[in-house]
Amino acid sequence: MTTIEHWINGSLTQGAATATQPVFNPATGAEQAQVVLGGGADVDAAVRAASAAFETWAESSLTQRTQVMFNFRQLLVEHEEELGRIISAEHGKTVDDARGEITRGREVVEFACGLGDVLKGSFSDQVSRGVDVHNFRQPLGVVAGITPFNFPAMVPLWMHPIAIATGNTFILKPSERDPSAANFVADLYKKAGLPDGVFNVVHGGKPAVDAILTHPGIKAVSFVGSTPIAKYVHEQATAHGKRVQALGGAKNHAVVLPDADLEFAANHITAGAYGSAGERCMAVSVAVAVGDAADGLVEILERKAREVKVGPGDQPGTEMGPLVTKAAQERVENAVGTAAAQGATVVVDGRGLKIEGHEEGFFTGPSLLDHVTTEMQAYKEELFGPVLAIVRTDTLDEAIDLINANPYGNGTALFTASGEAARRFQRNIHIGMIGINVPVPVPMSYYSFGGWKDSLIGDSPIHGPEGIRFYTRPKVVTTRWPQQSQQVSAGFNFPTSN
């Protein structure tokens, strides 16, 4: 049985961990490894290694840092298939989907490769007689990321390339459900020339999280996960003087107007709802059918849901793999039963799916629920599974009001042929990321990712320009270089530009 260890100061170590937790293959239900569960001592060891490395890494040239990023980016390309299969084996998603998340994460590395231009400060000449002002940004020190199971490569890649390229050192606490991708990435960094201690991985559960949130040597914490835990992370970390990025859950709506191409809309909503088995914070979990679009949309969605090919993630042709754990499978299937009991029409029932040769796997098929209301649990809760709920409204404005009343504000989409409707929607909706005829509007790496309301706790989105600001702090320098022969008397009045 393989034991997955921490990565601290450039090498694998069990550290002080005395307990382990099983890591399963979701397609078979079989235990395939054990991961060590670290705590305060392991976090402290990682902080000490990262603090020592920061002394030299922060003083390294921007050219040196970006060269490591160029090397790291190339290694991600060369090892994409291997990393994709590691992710698929522990998460359950298809290998193609895993390769897709690696590609999106690599885009942030590419953004980090170009930080030379982004990090340029500004200069103001002669703000007063003989006085100039300039500013620049410096790294914070040791920073940490706490990341979820659903994107074991991409979400951490939203964090550590920017943190490291700006001169910080980084500690990653990945999900204990699929931990191997983090160690694989750590090894790629080492091969890319990153000095030991700049990137570290500590595995574990809540004790490791709490140690990160309270350790005085950690200056900032980035988190992606559920809203209740995001609130906890934000509260604890800020109470201990840290900067915090805390991204929470979602309930993403896709609105379909009668003028939309229903085949096009249904095709993309199906992919947005059931891709990665619905285990993503940008999944389409509610389709809002407006007016006459409803019956035709449901008819096409039913056909497409039944066509989704479910199977092991490493099997060619599979479009949707299993859920990550047995508990997740049971939770999602119970939610479908609850929706039926509360009055929803179960158009497609994915419960009880068995895959030949993988009968013990954590599979459930796509489920489609019609006539869902906002009072039902299937609407109110983030199910994080392959369940698509249909809510019907009479008008676009009614759909906008419905979405704005939802406590989450991560992503939304509108399918329409009307530019006026699209403009009205994108201006009036209270959501952070919007797609127009795009079902999953995850922004490119040179923009920032983050929702509104309960989907973002605090005010710090992730990656892009906001990521640069989060991992650095500004200095403003005012200078005067008087001529040696010139005597300048000190004044006691408040300085002005005169």
Side-chain angles (χ1 to χ4, degrees):
M1 182 66 65
T2 301
T3 299
I4 301 165
E5 298 181 315
H6 310 306
W7 179 281
I8 297 175
N9 205 26
S11 63
L12 294 169
T13 175
Q14 182 159 331
T18 58
T20 60
Q21 177 175 306
V23 178
F24 293 94
N25 182 331
T28 64
E31 180 181 338
Q32 59 182 340
Q34 289 277 332
V35 60
V36 298
L37 299 178
D42 300 298
V43 170
D44 187 64
V47 171
R48 283 187 277 110
S51 296
F54 178 72
E55 296 300 320
T56 53
W57 183 245
E59 295 301 318
S60 62
S61 69
L62 187 57
T63 300
Q64 179 184 350
R65 284 183 250 144
T66 54
Q67 185 58 58
V68 169
M69 285 298 151
F70 276 111
N71 296 341
F72 178 58
R73 185 257 178 209
Q74 183 58 34
L75 289 169
L76 283 173
V77 172
E78 295 172 3
H79 294 275
E80 181 181 282
E81 180 71 17
E82 185 179 358
L83 180 55
R85 291 190 176 276
I86 289 171
I87 293 168
S88 177
E90 291 185 350
H91 175 278
K93 66 175 64 178
T94 67
V95 175
D96 281 347
D97 195 16
R99 285 196 293 256
E101 76 160 275
I102 296 165
T103 298
R104 292 308 304 266
R106 192 174 68 233
E107 290 168 358
V108 179
V109 181
E110 292 164 356
F111 176 73
C113 289
L115 288 191
D117 182 65
V118 180
L119 283 177
K120 286 191 301 187
S122 59
F123 182 90
S124 296
D125 174 68
Q126 199 75 352
V127 298
S128 185
R129 189 177 298 276
V131 177
D132 306 323
V133 178
H134 71 278
N135 70 337
F136 60 97
R137 306 189 71 88
Q138 289 186 306
L140 303 177
V142 180
V143 299
I146 302 168
T147 56
F149 74 88
N150 58 328
F151 288 100
M154 184 184 74
V155 171
L157 283 165
W158 285 355
M159 303 173 183
H160 53 73
I162 295 176
I164 291 170
T166 52
N168 301 279
T169 54
F170 197 91
I171 299 169
L172 173 63
K173 206 302 286 182
S175 171
E176 59 273 29
R177 298 178 191 175
D178 45 9
S180 294
N183 286 14
F184 189 88
V185 166
D187 187 58
L188 293 187
Y189 264 132
K190 189 177 182 73
K191 292 175 180 175
L194 190 69
D196 293 345
V198 176
F199 181 76
N200 306 274
V201 180
V202 176
H203 298 290
K206 189 174 185 297
V209 169
D210 286 340
I212 288 171
L213 300 181
T214 59
H215 198 293
I218 295 175
K219 305 303 181 185
V221 176
S222 301
F223 172 84
V224 176
S226 69
T227 292
I229 305 302
K231 290 180 177 179
Y232 174 80
V233 167
H234 188 271
E235 177 185 337
Q236 292 296 313
T238 53
H240 287 83
K242 306 183 193 312
R243 289 187 178 185
V244 183
Q245 290 173 322
L247 281 67
K251 197 71 178 178
N252 304 314
H253 301 68
V255 180
V256 182
L257 296 187
D259 67 356
D261 181 328
L262 295 187
E263 188 78 19
F264 175 89
N267 193 49
H268 286 278
I269 290 171
T270 298
Y274 305 129
S276 198
E279 293 176 317
R280 52 188 179 188
C281 67
M282 291 297 286
V284 176
S285 55
V286 181
V288 184
V290 177
D292 295 338
D295 289 340
L297 178 66
V298 171
E299 180 182 344
I300 302 171
L301 285 172
E302 177 183 1
R303 168 168 52 85
K304 291 186 179 298
R306 296 187 187 281
E307 292 173 351
V308 174
K309 297 178 178 63
V310 183
D314 61 353
Q315 190 173 91
T318 295
E319 295 173 320
M320 190 182 97
L323 293 170
V324 68
T325 62
K326 182 70 173 176
Q329 177 196 37
E330 292 172 350
R331 175 179 48 78
V332 169
E333 296 198 347
N334 288 339
V336 175
T338 299
Q342 292 180 338
T345 302
V346 182
V347 180
V348 179
D349 192 342
R351 292 174 292 177
L353 178 67
K354 296 294 181 184
I355 303 298
E356 184 177 356
H358 295 78
E359 288 79 8
E360 299 304 314
F362 310 141
F363 291 96
T364 189
S367 289
L368 179 64
L369 310 175
D370 195 8
H371 301 290
V372 174
T373 68
T374 56
E375 292 78 27
M376 294 180 183
Q377 294 301 111
Y379 178 81
K380 292 192 291 186
E381 295 181 357
E382 184 183 23
L383 301 183
F384 227 63
V387 181
L388 176 61
I390 308 295
V391 177
R392 299 176 180 231
T393 67
D394 293 329
T395 66
L396 173 60
D397 289 336
E398 185 181 339
I400 290 172
D401 290 342
L402 180 146
I403 296 170
N404 287 346
N406 193 279
Y408 295 110
N410 212 40
T412 190
L414 175 68
F415 289 87
T416 183
S418 168
E420 183 280 326
R423 189 174 190 277
R424 176 158 39 114
F425 181 80
Q426 66 195 32
R427 288 187 60 81
N428 294 338
I429 206 75
H430 300 167
I431 302 293
M433 294 173 285
I434 301 165
I436 304 299
N437 297 316
V438 174
V440 184
V442 177
M444 296 298 291
S445 62
Y446 36 84
Y447 286 86
S448 295
F449 180 103
W452 287 13
K453 299 184 284 188
D454 280 355
S455 294
L456 178 67
I457 311 305
D459 59 357
S460 294
I462 204 165
H463 73 60
E466 294 288 348
I468 300 294
R469 285 190 282 271
F470 181 76
Y471 290 121
T472 60
R473 52 189 170 189
K475 279 185 177 177
V476 180
V477 182
T478 304
T479 60
R480 171 186 278 142
W481 298 101
Q483 296 179 10
Q484 292 298 317
S485 59
Q486 179 183 357
Q487 297 298 318
V488 179
S489 298
F492 290 90
N493 297 325
F494 192 83
T496 70
S497 60
N498 296 326

